[in-house]
């Protein structure tokens, strides 16, 4: 199975369909009147679908076991066919599309099994995903404007040439994957004045997003939060909480991080850990949803 530990838990929904076509109008009549010899077709098939939704990971090798927190099975019955709709919800790290399609297919197969004694011409068609919601795909287009960013590495040792930067390059790569243009990647020492100057210069140049990596710990030279808090005009504590909460689920040491987030005019300023792992997890926690800030600044609703 693919790695999903880096993903955030969100509400996921999926609706899938399957169509059962009959060859005799009397078949539909028997279903409606509940005179099929094997029993109530619609209710038996619904129960089978509920079982299938919960057992998908047992049948499909690459499916992750997940909590199925809602399953709804409905029918649209016409003269010669039954359209099956299966809707599944979960709050988890991965979607429920396969669960919905698996449930829909089992509902259809149950109908086929129950109806074959009275109709030899039944077919199952169009098992497919109808709709899905949740996860990062819902947040791909969160700003209409072209976004630019600067990445500033705060480190005495890297600026002195004693160590090599990996966190800054990783951040730049992640930003580009979300369609954000990285205009600047620079290394500076852990100096409060230089950190403030770089942030204010980026704001003056109209850069949308500035990420400082490093200096968020508790050593005497870790001054990034102090430098940024002095100039940030509007703190966004929810971003800080999201990063720490995400990290805390992966290491108990995340509570020692002093990540910071806020706005200076229309520029989003972030201070994240200097370790590559810590910086990566911080970005995983908030991207791409954090880009909605720029829509909010444009006056868009939070729909």
């Amino acid at each position: 199975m693919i790695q999903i530990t880096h993903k955030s838990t969100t509400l996921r929904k999926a609706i899938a369909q399957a169509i059962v076509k009959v060859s005799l109008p009397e078949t539909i009549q028997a279903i409606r009147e509940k005179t099929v010899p094997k029993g109530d077709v619609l209710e038996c098939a619904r129960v089978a679908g509920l079982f299938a939704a919960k057992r998908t990971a047992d049948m499909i090798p690459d499916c992750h076991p997940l909590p199925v927190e809602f399953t709804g099975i409905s029918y649209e019955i016409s003269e010669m066919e039954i359209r099956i709709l299966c809707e599944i919800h979960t709050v988890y790290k991965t979607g429920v599309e396969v669960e919905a399609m698996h449930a829909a297919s089992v509902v259809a197969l149950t109908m086929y099994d129950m109806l074959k004694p009275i109709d030899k011409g039944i077919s199952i068609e169009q098992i497919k995903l109808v709709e899905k919601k949740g996860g990062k795909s819902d947040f791909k287009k969160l700003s209409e404007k072209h976004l630019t960013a600067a990445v500033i590495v705060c480190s005495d040792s890297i600026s002195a040439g004693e160590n090599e930067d990996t966190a800054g390059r990783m951040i730049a790569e992640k930003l580009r994957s979300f369609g954000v243009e990285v205009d600047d990647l620079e290394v500076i020492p852990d100096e409060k004045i230089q950190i403030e100057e770089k942030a204010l210069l980026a704001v003056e140049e109209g850069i949308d997003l500035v990420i400082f990596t490093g200096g968020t710990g508790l050593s005497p030279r870790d001054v990034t939060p102090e430098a940024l808090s002095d100039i940030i005009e509007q703190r966004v504590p929810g971003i800080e909480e999201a990063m720490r909460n995400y990290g805390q689920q992966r290491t108990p040491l995340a509570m020692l991080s002093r990540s910071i987030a806020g706005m200076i005019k229309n520029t989003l300023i972030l201070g994240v850990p200097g370790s590559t792992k810590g910086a990566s997890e911080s970005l995983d926690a908030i991207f791409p949803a954090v880009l909605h800030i720029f829509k909010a600044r444009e006056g868009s609703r939070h729909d």
Side-chain angles (χ1 to χ4, degrees):
M1 295 186 293
I2 65 168
Q3 174 70 274
I4 63 169
T5 56
H6 65 285
K7 292 188 174 185
S8 296
T9 297
T10 58
L11 174 62
R12 318 275 182 142
K13 301 180 181 180
I15 301 173
Q17 74 161 33
I19 294 176
V20 175
K21 287 194 173 182
V22 303
S23 62
L24 302 168
E26 291 81 7
T27 305
I28 296 294
Q29 184 179 353
I31 293 170
R32 290 183 184 275
E33 295 177 356
K34 301 182 181 180
T35 58
V36 176
K38 285 193 173 184
D40 186 332
V41 173
L42 300 180
E43 288 309 310
C44 286
R46 180 178 282 111
V47 171
L50 295 176
F51 280 126
K54 294 181 283 189
R55 299 296 296 273
T56 303
D58 293 338
M59 303 302 297
I60 310 298
D62 278 341
C63 270
H64 295 83
L66 52 75
V68 174
E69 297 177 329
F70 169 78
T71 302
I73 298 172
S74 60
Y75 304 115
E76 296 174 1
I77 305 174
S78 59
E79 289 185 4
M80 297 293 286
E81 70 180 35
I82 301 171
R83 185 184 186 216
I84 302 155
L85 290 169
C86 293
E87 180 172 353
I88 296 182
H89 300 181
T90 189
V91 178
Y92 198 59
K93 298 176 182 179
T94 189
V96 285
E97 304 97 301
V98 176
E99 284 75 9
M101 286 189 284
H102 181 229
S105 66
V106 169
V107 172
L109 282 168
T110 302
M111 288 186 178
Y112 178 92
D113 179 65
M114 296 184 73
L115 295 172
K116 65 183 179 180
I118 64 170
D119 190 335
K120 302 301 183 185
I122 295 173
S123 65
I124 298 172
E125 302 178 7
Q126 297 186 47
I127 299 172
K128 65 180 183 180
L129 181 67
V130 176
E131 181 182 323
K132 64 166 285 189
K133 293 182 179 179
K136 289 188 176 181
S137 60
D138 282 3
F139 299 97
K140 282 187 176 176
K141 192 64 176 175
L142 288 175
S143 179
E144 298 302 322
K145 65 179 292 190
H146 174 71
L147 299 176
T148 58
V151 180
I152 313 296
V153 179
C154 303
S155 170
D156 290 334
S157 61
I158 296 175
S159 66
E162 298 169 2
N163 287 310
E164 185 179 351
D165 167 53
T166 56
R169 294 201 302 271
M170 178 278 301
I171 291 172
E173 184 178 333
K174 277 185 179 283
L175 290 175
R176 292 185 185 110
S177 74
F178 292 114
V180 179
E181 180 183 341
V182 179
D183 288 342
D184 188 26
L185 172 56
E186 191 172 348
V187 179
I188 62 174
D190 290 298
E191 293 291 346
K192 189 170 180 287
I193 292 177
Q194 288 195 43
I195 294 169
E196 292 175 353
E197 288 175 347
K198 287 295 178 185
L200 294 174
L201 178 61
V203 173
E204 186 179 330
E205 292 174 348
I207 293 174
D208 300 296
L209 171 64
V210 186
I211 300 181
F212 291 85
T213 175
T216 62
L218 295 168
S219 77
R221 293 287 292 166
D222 287 333
V223 296
T224 301
E226 286 75 19
L228 296 179
S229 62
D230 283 350
I231 57 175
I232 283 176
E233 298 170 346
Q234 189 177 28
R235 287 285 284 270
V236 190
I239 296 176
E240 301 167 6
E241 292 159 10
M243 290 190 288
R244 273 189 286 275
N245 181 61
Y246 183 95
Q248 193 68 23
Q249 293 176 24
R250 289 153 179 81
T251 171
L253 300 181
M255 64 182 175
L256 303 179
S257 172
R258 297 186 299 132
S259 297
I260 185 170
M263 303 296 297
I264 304 176
K265 297 182 180 177
N266 288 319
T267 299
L268 174 61
I269 307 291
L270 300 176
V272 303
S275 71
T276 303
K277 183 173 182 290
S280 178
E281 289 179 350
S282 295
L283 267 61
D284 287 340
I286 62 174
F287 277 86
V290 72
L291 299 179
H292 181 69
I293 274 185
F294 300 104
K295 260 196 167 182
R297 302 294 280 194
E298 294 162 9
S300 297
R301 292 172 57 87
H302 298 275
D303 293 337

